[in-house]
Amino acid sequence: MNLTHRLLLVEGIPGSGKTTLAKLKYEELTASGYNVTLYQEGDSHPADMAWNAYLSLDEYNEFLKACKNMWLSSEKKIPFSELKRKILEVTRFEDEHAILAYTKISFPEMSYYSLLDDISAREICDGRTPLSTFKEIHLRRWKRFCEEALDSPDKIYIFECAFFQNHIQELLGVYDLSAEDIATYFKDLLATVTALNPKIYYILPDDITSVLMAAAKERIAPEGSNQLDWIDEITSYIEMSNYGKTHNLHGVPGLIQFLKKRVFLEQYLLHILPVASEVRIRK
């Protein structure tokens, strides 16, 4: 088969339909006989770092020890060897670090989730590392991914929100970089995977407010839970970001203002970056 694009990047604002489109592309290509791997947000990812903790080997072993102590005082619904296997399934070891997709761990009891507060603080996102470190880790991982992907020439990879969304949330939301500096970042990032001839599928909302509010109605926290509704979580995140504080963004109107800025910036990047793209309008 002729694989024109080995890496498909599905992008758009939250609630625009990225997950649906990514799964659709996966199903279409698989049905056509292609060997396809789909990575969604929060997965144990070969390149992206969102929702993945970046742990030294000592920190990783300390986490395993904490899990063992929790297991010893638990109902022991599964053997500890099985719990350790579940953790290893969402762990990647690179450059003397463990990269742990901590939200994907299938714990046997709810009590284990209390261990994740400290682990989540070990992400490199949300301004927890200097921009130079954030960029260096990402470029190294994307380059390594490309090199490994080239060893499997019959395979197509689909990344959901790993290119624009998870980087721009950091570059714009945390570091409040200029459009020119963000463009330079993405040119460097894109250069690491040029050999895979990537293509961006971008979902452009016809009306940001209506798309956002439609998603908010669907993403309601379970009744009786301590969770915030999705719209409240994302609004709070933007309010507390450096960009939100600098630009005095508050509530849903502030979130919409941020998303408008993001869409404008992403359209600019689609125009200047040397990458194939397909824009789909979301009504």
Side-chain angles (χ1 to χ4, degrees), residues 228-241 244-245 249-252 255:
L228 293 174
D229 288 343
W230 172 79
I231 190 68
D232 295 325
E233 287 186 343
I234 191 172
T235 297
S236 176
Y237 175 82
I238 295 303
E239 284 181 343
M240 296 302 295
S241 70
K245 293 176 180 177
L249 303 184
H250 297 285
V252 173
L255 171 61

Side-chain angles (χ1 to χ4, degrees), residues 164 202-205 262-272 279:
F164 278 163
Y202 189 82
I203 305 173
L204 179 64
R262 213 190 101 179
V263 169
F264 179 83
L265 178 58
E266 288 168 353
Q267 291 299 293
Y268 164 70
L269 292 170
L270 285 175
H271 178 69
I272 67 165
V279 177

